[in-house]
């Protein structure tokens, strides 16, 4: 991507100017409703009524399938967001196996993706947990009874960009996956991943003096980056700021991709109402956005190697991962907004902390027989994403900061495609799904799940 396009001083004109020659031209981001402000203030908005169920919180369970409220084999947008929120609720619920952790931290359910010191995949399927990885638990190493240490796992997916909060502290990342993914050989014999296969990526920041730990999912960890200094046993409290989850079901082998964020992460790029209290935007830069006179460079992090650095300025380009010209925009946005509001009465007790998190959106395909991308024929312009549904411009501001500039414009074979139409940087831009009709294996294509590829390499399967 061209870094200059990320300068907010150029952002508004770049997004508002749409190509008149294509009905799929990129639309300007929605200025209202403001997703981050709504999350902070607890407002509802929207006209749809996507309901929440009390059982998600009183008896948390991992959903096995997306409901089909619109008829046999036909799910509504609300069905997908209910699936996403029920999944999130279960993963944030106290583990029955180990009450000291919540479900996604439970080692009996999920493994952590581990790396060797040189960054190559380690064996994430064995019982040793001392490789280069951000450990969720600050318990003891199983094999030598020493304190767990968090090394520098600070790069985002894609280009490895590094972000720093307003206190200048780096953001750490962790990847977890369902234990069935260790059955590499068996899975590779199938076209698609088994139903229930789950992948998660979390983002964590160091909690500062102005952060209330009660407002975050937290962990205490040793974040000493230098091996020679790791005898220092001081613990640092980290707060979860981003949660990305992908779940495969029988009806949706492409995975349902959903992302959640903390409400104080970032303002919207377009005229935010709030200018203070953001973890990844200064008051001065936020005020520039509000006044439509931005002078700061947003969403342009680079790869770094230090645990402290210059604060990164981040804003959300597409509220709810959607733009007004997107297919079924209103259905998508209304479903997200209403369900985010309707879960609030159930967020009590151990779930009260979830009042500070919100679902940004989700992504899936309409017809699993077709792939996530449409291939143009005979030079005819087609939208690449005609089979995709949900938040077509979905990105997590603290996990995919530099990949928010999503162009869903038409592409053709006669050289008249949009300049950036070769890559749509939503989930399917990096995780391409091959439809059932293709007879191409999604488990061996090195495309749909990069985590599975690393598991296979690290475990030498």
């Amino acid at each position: 991507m061209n870094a200059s396009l990320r300068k907010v001083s150029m952002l508004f004109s770049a997004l508002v100017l749409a190509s008149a020659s294509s009905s799929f031209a990129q639309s300007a981001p929605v200025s209202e409703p403001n997703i981050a402000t709504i999350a902070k203030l607890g407002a509802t908005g929207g006209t749809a009524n996507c309901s929440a169920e009390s059982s998600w919180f009183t008896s948390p369970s991992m959903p096995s399938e997306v409901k089909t409220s619109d008829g046999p084999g036909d799910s509504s947008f609300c069905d997908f967001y209910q699936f996403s929120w029920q999944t999130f609720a279960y993963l944030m619920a106290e583990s029955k196996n180990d009450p000291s952790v919540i479900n996604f931290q439970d080692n009996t359910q999920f493994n952590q993706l581990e790396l060797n010191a040189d960054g190559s995949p380690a064996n994430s399927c064995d019982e040793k947990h001392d490789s280069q990885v951000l450990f969720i638990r600050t318990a003891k190493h199983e094999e030598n009874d020493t304190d767990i240490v968090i090394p520098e796992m600070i790069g985002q997916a894609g280009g490895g960009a590094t972000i720093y909060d307003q206190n200048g502290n780096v953001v750490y990342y962790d990847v977890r996956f369902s234990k069935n993914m260790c059955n590499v050989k068996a899975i590779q014999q199938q076209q698609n991943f088994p139903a229930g296969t789950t992948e998660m990526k979390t983002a964590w920041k160091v909690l500062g003096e102005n952060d209330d730990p009660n407002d975050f999912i937290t962990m205490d960890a040793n974040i000493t980056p230098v091996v020679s200094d790791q005898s220092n046993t001081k613990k640092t409290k980290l707060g979860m700021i981003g949660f990305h989850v992908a779940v495969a079901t029988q009806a949706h082998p492409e995975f349902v991709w959903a992302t959640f964020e903390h409400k104080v992460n970032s303002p919207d790029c377009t005229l935010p109402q709030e200018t203070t209290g953001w973890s990844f935007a200064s008051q001065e830069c936020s005020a520039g956005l509000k006044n439509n006179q931005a002078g700061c460079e947003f969403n342009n992090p680079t790869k770094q190697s230090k645990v402290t650095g210059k604060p990164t300025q981040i804003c959300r380009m597409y509220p709810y991962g959607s733009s007004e010209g997107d297919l079924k925009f209103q259905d998508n946005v209304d479903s997200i907004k209403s369900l985010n509001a309707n879960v609030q009465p159930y967020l009590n007790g151990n779930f009260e902390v979830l009042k500070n998190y919100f679902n940004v959106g989700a992504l899936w395909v309409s017809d699993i027989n077709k792939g996530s991308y449409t291939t143009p024929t005979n030079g005819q312009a087609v939208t690449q994403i005609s089979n995709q549904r949900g938040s077509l411009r979905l990105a997590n501001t603290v996990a995919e900061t530099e990949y928010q500039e999503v162009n869903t414009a038409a592409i053709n074979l006669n050289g008249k495609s949009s300049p950036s139409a070769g890559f749509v940087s939503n989930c399917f831009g990096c995780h391409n799904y091959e439809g059932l009709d293709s007879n191409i294996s999604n488990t061996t294509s090195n495309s749909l799940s990069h985590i599975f590829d690393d598991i296979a390499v690290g475990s030498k399967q």
Side-chain angles (χ1 to χ4, degrees):
M1 294 184 181
N2 188 327
S4 63
L5 291 178
R6 301 190 195 99
K7 293 180 181 295
V8 171
S9 59
M10 301 173 63
L11 178 63
F12 301 101
S13 60
L15 292 175
V16 172
L17 292 176
S19 172
S21 62
S22 171
S23 60
F24 301 107
Q26 182 171 337
S27 301
V30 177
S31 58
E32 290 294 339
N34 182 302
I35 184 172
T37 300
I38 285 176
K40 290 180 81 171
L41 301 179
T44 57
T47 57
N49 185 25
C50 186
S51 63
E53 297 182 16
S54 61
S55 61
W56 300 348
F57 307 95
T58 57
S59 303
S61 64
M62 191 76 169
S64 60
E65 191 54 85
V66 180
K67 293 191 300 184
T68 53
S69 296
D70 287 351
D74 192 2
S75 300
S76 67
F77 277 54
C78 177
D79 290 336
F80 284 95
Y81 289 111
Q82 289 174 329
F83 180 90
S84 301
W85 251 107
Q86 184 181 357
T87 296
F88 185 59
Y90 173 76
L91 294 172
M92 298 299 125
E94 181 180 284
S95 168
K96 293 182 179 180
N97 299 320
D98 182 356
S100 69
V101 297
I102 54 182
N103 279 316
F104 88 93
Q105 301 170 319
D106 184 353
N107 291 326
T108 67
Q109 300 183 62
F110 303 103
N111 283 14
Q112 292 169 301
L113 187 67
E114 301 180 25
L115 304 175
N116 294 314
D118 62 0
S120 62
N123 189 348
S124 301
C125 295
D126 61 15
E127 295 303 316
K128 296 175 62 178
H129 305 298
D130 57 348
S131 298
Q132 299 295 305
V133 65
L134 189 160
F135 284 89
I136 293 298
R137 296 190 61 188
T138 54
K140 301 289 183 180
H141 284 302
E142 295 180 12
E143 71 279 7
N144 57 15
D145 202 38
T146 58
D147 285 334
I148 285 174
V149 175
I150 295 177
E152 298 180 58
M153 193 166 178
I154 59 177
Q156 294 187 353
T162 310
I163 63 172
Y164 300 89
D165 65 16
Q166 290 303 293
N167 294 321
N169 291 313
V170 77
V171 169
Y172 297 92
Y173 299 96
D174 171 61
V175 175
R176 282 187 160 258
F177 57 90
S178 52
K179 298 182 82 69
N180 72 298
M181 296 188 77
C182 288
N183 301 323
V184 173
K185 294 298 184 183
I187 291 177
Q188 288 176 334
Q189 302 304 310
Q190 305 177 46
Q191 183 180 8
N192 290 301
F193 290 92
T197 301
T198 303
E199 301 180 352
M200 296 167 285
K201 184 169 186 177
T202 50
W204 303 81
K205 78 164 192 169
V206 175
L207 295 184
E209 60 181 16
N210 294 324
D211 296 312
D212 184 348
N214 294 319
D215 291 341
F216 295 83
I217 299 289
T218 63
M219 64 174 170
D220 296 312
N222 184 333
I223 57 174
T224 307
V226 182
V227 174
S228 60
D229 295 337
Q230 288 175 357
S231 59
N232 181 357
T233 60
K234 179 182 178 180
K235 299 295 192 297
T236 300
K237 190 172 290 295
L238 303 180
M240 190 182 81
I241 56 174
F243 190 87
H244 198 62
V245 59
V247 183
T249 73
Q250 184 173 355
H252 288 279
E254 79 280 13
F255 289 85
V256 177
W257 305 79
T259 199
F260 293 77
E261 289 194 42
H262 198 278
K263 66 181 183 180
V264 298
N265 282 353
S266 312
D268 289 348
C269 297
T270 307
L271 308 179
Q273 297 179 26
E274 295 289 321
T275 61
T276 60
W278 300 112
S279 295
F280 296 94
S282 68
Q283 181 176 355
E284 179 183 3
C285 291
S286 299
L289 293 174
K290 182 177 181 179
N291 297 327
N292 202 7
Q293 297 178 342
C296 300
E297 185 173 17
F298 278 81
N299 304 336
N300 190 28
T302 58
K303 188 174 182 178
Q304 303 292 330
S305 60
K306 299 183 181 301
V307 295
T308 57
K310 180 181 178 181
T312 310
Q313 303 300 326
I314 301 175
C315 63
R316 179 174 290 101
M317 289 187 68
Y318 293 101
Y320 306 103
S322 300
S323 184
E324 284 184 342
D326 291 345
L327 180 66
K328 297 189 176 181
F329 162 81
Q330 205 62 57
D331 285 348
N332 188 60
V333 171
D334 285 351
S335 294
I336 301 170
K337 288 165 52 183
S338 62
L339 186 54
N340 278 341
N342 287 334
V343 298
Q344 298 300 312
Y346 305 113
L347 302 183
N348 302 307
N350 292 337
F351 286 108
E352 186 169 2
V353 67
L354 297 189
K355 290 181 180 290
N356 299 292
Y357 297 87
F358 60 94
N359 178 218
V360 181
L363 192 67
W364 61 92
V365 302
S366 175
D367 183 355
I368 63 173
N369 294 303
K370 299 183 173 70
S372 55
Y373 280 90
T374 303
T375 303
T377 58
N378 301 321
Q380 297 298 311
V382 298
T383 175
Q384 299 182 87
I385 60 170
S386 59
N387 193 33
Q388 297 181 22
R389 295 293 184 272
S391 298
L392 302 178
R393 304 165 194 266
L394 187 63
N396 189 301
T397 63
V398 294
E400 298 149 329
T401 306
E402 62 177 339
Y403 288 100
Q404 295 188 73
E405 195 174 329
V406 180
N407 188 332
T408 63
I411 185 172
N412 57 37
L413 297 180
N414 61 14
K416 296 181 180 179
S417 304
S418 165
S420 58
F423 176 66
V424 176
S425 57
N426 62 20
C427 302
F428 289 126
C430 294
H431 303 276
N432 186 40
Y433 167 72
E434 302 286 355
L436 300 182
D437 291 345
S438 71
N439 292 319
I440 297 175
S441 172
N442 283 301
T443 66
T444 60
S445 65
N446 304 114
S447 184
L448 184 61
S449 173
H450 308 309
I451 292 175
F452 185 65
D453 300 337
D454 288 341
I455 295 169
V457 172
S459 59
K460 297 181 180 180
Q461 297 186 62

